[in-house]
Amino acid sequence: MERYTTHTREICLMDQNFRKRTFTPRVFFNDILFFLSHMPRIIGILGNESVSKTFVERIMTVVTAVNGCVYCSWFHAKQAVAIGISGDEVRDLLNLQFHTHAPREEVPALLYAQHYAETDRHPDATMTDEFYEYYGEETATDLYFSMRMIYFGNLFGNTWDAVISRFRGHPAKEGNVAFEIVFFVLAFVFMTPAMVLIKD
């Protein structure tokens, strides 16, 4: 798993331009405000017995598989195994092949999580309605927040790699130099250790 994620990162950084989804200044600061304003609800997810840790990890791994964040792939693969998800299932989740292992009642949420990520957080309204109808308002909202949190984490890791890619002469096609400098300063303390960890 670690070899796969490191290899993926090396391929991306050797590409002519960085191609993964990253933050724009507007999206980054809007997301920060969103999480600050919804912090009580985010904390409350821990109290919802309908949303197990394994359920959340499956969702986060699926969203990460779409966005290709190597740091989130590494971290959530380790987390998933630590709470009892098999290595084979983690590998299948990262390949978006989750039907074999996931409990039947979790599959609709995993499909929605994949759709949510693939549409860049603009899911089809009908699919959203069906998602909320299937799980109910409280559980569906908690699952949604799980998707949104990992999506933020994915963009955080990808934006860091976009900055590193710029340093190496391969900037993101629509990158913002000024924002990337600010982001680098803000993220340095978190992401420098992460770069070391995924190479171990």
Side-chain angles (χ1 to χ4, degrees), residues 104-163:
R104 182 180 303 176
E105 64 272 14
E106 294 183 11
V107 170
L110 298 177
L111 287 169
Y112 183 75
Q114 180 180 350
H115 172 69
Y116 175 84
E118 288 176 343
T119 59
D120 195 17
R121 298 192 291 191
H122 294 90
D124 178 78
T126 300
M127 288 191 67
T128 298
D129 289 342
E130 291 174 352
F131 170 68
Y132 272 82
E133 182 178 354
Y134 186 88
Y135 290 101
E137 185 73 23
E138 181 178 1
T139 295
T141 300
D142 285 350
L143 294 173
Y144 163 77
F145 273 107
S146 298
M147 296 173 203
R148 180 136 187 181
M149 284 188 290
I150 190 58
Y151 201 99
F152 176 86
N154 292 166
L155 294 192
F156 199 97
N158 286 351
T159 303
W160 175 263
D161 268 353
V163 174

